[in-house]
Amino acid sequence: MPANNTEIERRLWDAADELRANSKLRSQEYSTPVLGLIFLRYAGQRFAEAEDALAGRGSARRPITRADYQARGVMYLPEPARWSKLVNLREGEDIGGALNDAMRAVEAENDELRDVLPKTYNAIDNRTLAELIRVFNSVPIDIEGDAFGKIYEYFLGKFAMTEGQKGGEFFTPTSIVKLIVDIIEPFHGRIFDPACGSGGMFVQSAKFIARHQHNPVEEISVYGQEKTSETVRLCKLNLAVHGLSGDIREGNSYYENIHDSVGRFDYVMANPPFNVDRVDKERLKDDYRFPLGLPRVDNGNYLWIQIFYSALGESGRAGFVMANSASDARGSEQELRRRLIEARVLDVMIGVSSNFFYTVTNPATLWFLDKRKAASDRANKVLFIDARHTFRQVDRAHRDFAPEQAEVLANIVRLYRAEPPEFDDGSKPMLSDIFPKYEYRDVPGLCKVATLTEIESQGWSLNPGRYVSVGDRAPDEFVFADRLEELNEELELLNAEAAQFQERIADNVSQLLEKAAESDAATLEAV
């Protein structure tokens, strides 16, 4: 057996990607069928284990049924869909047809997967399919933990990187998702993601609950929305791989409030598209999901922020990714930001480095809302964390958080909230160096708690860099990449301000034209 799961993941990916490279299929055409095979391999393993455990327990009077498998948290697989049957298919047989039949059989037995599983295997030649089955069958059956779930997530991430812009629409890097989950702590209740992609927020929430010794199926219910049917299917498939199900629906979240979201949810998590323009605000003017008001500028950021905010119940928490420019935007967006801050729900802001996301290379910011905050001693405070210099370089173009780095960031928030730190991912040495007594304190260059008065003095800016002073640095030390990021952020801010000025000029010109028209009309009447 290879040394660890990461090595298995790489080996499987290298083999699958080589097969893709030697076929006529594009990545988009190849990714979903491959993910479907991983699903069948995973479901097949769990079914076989349950079958062995149930062996000999049935009788003529009371045979083993589908319900017995479900009681063990295992999806029932009819005969055509069992991995033991598929792995024995020969290259000369119609493997594509057999796989399509397997998917149809699973859907027939599991209503939540109806019309979800891929059934395009006839588009892939027999040799490639036979080799894919052989490759996935090579994964040891005794690997520990949620191995196939991890492999599935690994493949999702690799396909997202391969597909670039399109891939980033359905996949948020796991380290970002895990950090969001660890900070909002979704122990029990309803979870909502109106831009759910492949469902990573739901999967990590379930893992968070399992890590704290509870059963996710009993503790949470999940609700998602996505604008394309393809991504909805991907999300449902991802949930199924991890033994979960949820109410995932297709719809445009700007215009369709499918889940009747206002005040309904305990937790909201999302990574929405940044800086979307041409949203028809006329269709939104009477929508009660926007209690702070509609922005005048042609940008969807503050629409998303209010969709998240308005969905929270009385004690709800939200964590979401947002474009850096939203933290400093002026004009009508600044006014909306002020109202949100003065509502005492904004709790934590974390600045993230560039190159974390597949759709954008710019730095981003993580926002955290907490309805419980208003009644706490944090009511008039916001925690700012500058994590732009905290990352692991995955490859030349991509970064993420190492597990211990993400855990340190989450632990800073826990200390700020007077909660005990957690050390599941090995962050104890790092945290002990920064906070020897495990008590929160402002750390130059890393974190600062700012009062609402301080935030007001900064023009209601929520940019962590404005509050977290620069740490100690040698006078002659200069990091080009850091300076480039700073300049890029300044450019984002200037562009946002320019857009606001254009908006104001357009409003003023419109008012002048209206007054001129009124004056002309009055003159004509007088004549």
Side-chain angles (χ1 to χ4, degrees):
M1 174 177 151
N4 54 51
N5 289 347
T6 301
E7 188 176 331
I8 294 173
E9 292 160 358
R10 286 201 200 99
R11 178 162 60 83
L12 291 178
W13 170 259
D14 289 344
D17 196 44
E18 183 178 348
L19 289 171
R20 181 200 60 79
N22 291 322
S23 74
K24 297 179 180 179
L25 298 173
R26 295 172 298 175
S27 180
Q28 300 96 301
E29 298 170 313
Y30 191 70
S31 56
T32 303
V34 168
L35 293 171
L37 275 181
I38 297 174
F39 162 74
L40 278 183
R41 177 68 174 98
Y42 178 79
Q45 173 181 312
R46 299 196 69 201
F47 181 86
E49 290 170 350
E51 190 175 36
D52 289 343
L54 291 168
R57 297 194 180 188
S59 64
R61 178 176 293 182
R62 204 247 180 237
I64 298 297
T65 67
R66 182 174 182 268
D68 293 294
Y69 288 91
Q70 291 176 326
R72 291 176 170 269
V74 173
M75 179 180 296
Y76 180 78
L77 295 180
E79 185 73 28
R82 296 176 189 174
W83 189 258
S84 56
K85 175 179 175 65
L86 297 171
V87 77
N88 288 317
L89 292 171
R90 298 178 181 178
E91 191 172 325
E93 298 181 68
D94 181 9
I95 300 177
L99 289 172
N100 289 340
D101 290 343
M103 297 298 182
R104 292 189 185 97
V106 172
E107 290 184 347
E109 290 285 345
N110 300 275
D111 286 340
E112 70 274 15
L113 292 178
R114 196 169 302 280
D115 299 324
V116 168
L117 301 178
K119 294 176 280 291
T120 57
Y121 290 96
N122 285 118
I124 305 176
D125 66 88
N126 255 20
R127 185 192 63 81
T128 299
L129 289 174
E131 186 62 14
L132 278 172
I133 291 173
R134 187 195 66 77
V135 166
F136 289 134
N137 194 59
S138 69
V139 179
I141 214 74
D142 60 346
I143 47 181
E144 297 178 356
D146 179 25
F148 280 99
K150 291 176 182 176
I151 290 168
Y152 188 87
E153 288 180 44
Y154 184 81
F155 268 65
L156 268 178
K158 296 295 280 187
F159 279 126
M161 290 172 66
T162 303
E163 296 179 25
Q165 183 79 12
K166 180 179 181 297
E169 291 175 2
F170 65 72
F171 185 79
T172 303
T174 301
S175 67
I176 289 284
V177 179
K178 187 176 183 300
L179 177 59
I180 290 174
V181 169
D182 282 354
I183 289 175
I184 71 169
E185 301 175 321
F187 283 106
H188 176 83
R190 296 172 178 240
I191 301 175
F192 180 46
D193 184 348
C196 65
S198 59
M201 302 286 183
F202 304 137
V203 170
Q204 288 300 324
S205 295
K207 290 184 177 182
F208 172 88
I209 293 167
R211 199 167 72 243
H212 290 85
Q213 311 306 314
H214 294 282
N215 183 347
V217 175
E218 296 175 355
E219 298 295 337
I220 58 172
S221 51
V222 302
Y223 301 79
Q225 189 166 327
E226 259 298 337
K227 65 180 180 180
T228 66
S229 57
E230 177 186 356
T231 309
V232 168
R233 287 194 294 270
L234 195 59
C235 180
K236 290 183 176 181
L237 183 56
N238 194 14
L239 292 179
V241 165
H242 290 88
L244 303 170
S245 62
D247 188 355
I248 314 300
R249 304 192 198 179
E250 180 182 349
N252 187 321
S253 291
Y254 293 120
Y255 311 121
E256 299 172 84
N257 185 14
I258 294 174
H259 291 292
D260 191 21
S261 65
V262 175
R264 186 183 178 195
F265 295 99
D266 301 290
Y267 306 97
V268 176
M269 291 174 267
N271 175 21
F274 295 172
N275 301 314
V276 174
D277 57 9
R278 299 184 182 181
V279 178
D280 184 358
K281 290 194 284 291
E282 277 297 307
R283 296 173 62 180
L284 308 178
K285 62 183 180 181
D286 297 321
D287 194 321
Y288 48 92
R289 292 179 298 161
F290 306 102
L292 305 177
L294 296 176
R296 291 191 301 272
V297 68
D298 188 16
N299 188 305
N301 291 339
Y302 276 81
L303 299 176
W304 282 114
I305 290 170
Q306 292 190 75
I307 289 172
F308 308 145
Y309 167 53
S310 65
L312 293 176
E314 291 183 0
S315 60
R317 283 179 173 174
F320 51 89
V321 187
M322 188 50 58
N324 261 12
S325 55
S327 304
D328 281 309
R330 303 295 181 91
S332 60
E333 291 176 307
Q334 182 185 43
E335 176 62 18
L336 298 179
R337 191 168 62 249
R338 177 188 68 79
R339 293 173 188 170
L340 183 69
I341 295 168
E342 290 185 334
R344 269 73 173 174
V345 295
L346 185 71
D347 196 28
V348 181
M349 298 289 295
I350 301 180
V352 178
S353 167
S354 58
N355 296 329
F356 264 71
F357 300 91
Y358 304 131
T359 52
V360 292
T361 58
N362 292 344
T365 309
L366 307 183
W367 296 46
F368 296 90
L369 311 181
D370 190 347
K371 284 285 196 77
R372 313 169 208 180
K373 173 187 164 178
S376 74
D377 59 2
R378 309 191 314 275
N380 296 310
K381 304 173 184 175
V382 175
L383 171 63
F384 291 92
I385 299 176
D386 189 349
R388 289 176 299 168
H389 306 291
T390 302
F391 59 82
R392 174 177 63 181
Q393 197 72 38
V394 178
D395 56 37
R396 185 182 58 81
H398 298 96
R399 296 169 173 174
D400 71 0
F401 293 125
E404 65 274 14
Q405 291 174 328
E407 192 172 64
V408 164
L409 297 174
N411 276 332
I412 293 174
V413 179
R414 292 186 182 106
L415 297 181
Y416 160 67
R417 292 174 177 160
E419 298 174 359
E422 298 186 3
F423 300 116
D424 294 326
D425 290 322
S427 68
K428 190 170 185 176
M430 294 174 64
L431 193 72
S432 300
D433 285 344
I434 305 169
F435 304 95
K437 297 181 179 180
Y438 298 146
E439 295 176 354
Y440 178 82
R441 65 184 179 90
D442 291 343
V443 178
L446 178 61
C447 59
K448 177 180 171 58
V449 173
T451 65
L452 265 58
T453 301
E454 290 176 287
I455 295 171
E456 182 180 8
S457 71
Q458 290 289 337
W460 304 103
S461 168
L462 293 177
N463 187 333
R466 291 205 180 197
Y467 303 93
V468 180
S469 58
V470 178
D472 295 336
R473 177 179 286 181
D476 60 345
E477 185 178 347
F478 177 80
V479 181
F480 174 76
D482 292 347
R483 181 56 181 153
L484 189 60
E485 281 187 15
E486 292 169 5
L487 291 171
N488 188 64
E489 287 184 38
E490 290 178 18
L491 179 60
E492 278 192 0
L493 178 57
L494 290 171
N495 285 336
E497 290 179 349
Q500 297 291 345
F501 283 131
Q502 286 178 334
E503 177 187 347
R504 289 170 59 184
I505 290 168
D507 286 346
N508 291 337
V509 169
S510 178
Q511 291 173 18
L512 287 171
L513 289 173
E514 286 178 8
K515 288 180 180 179
E518 289 171 2
S519 176
D520 289 345
T523 301
L524 287 172
E525 284 182 11
V527 171

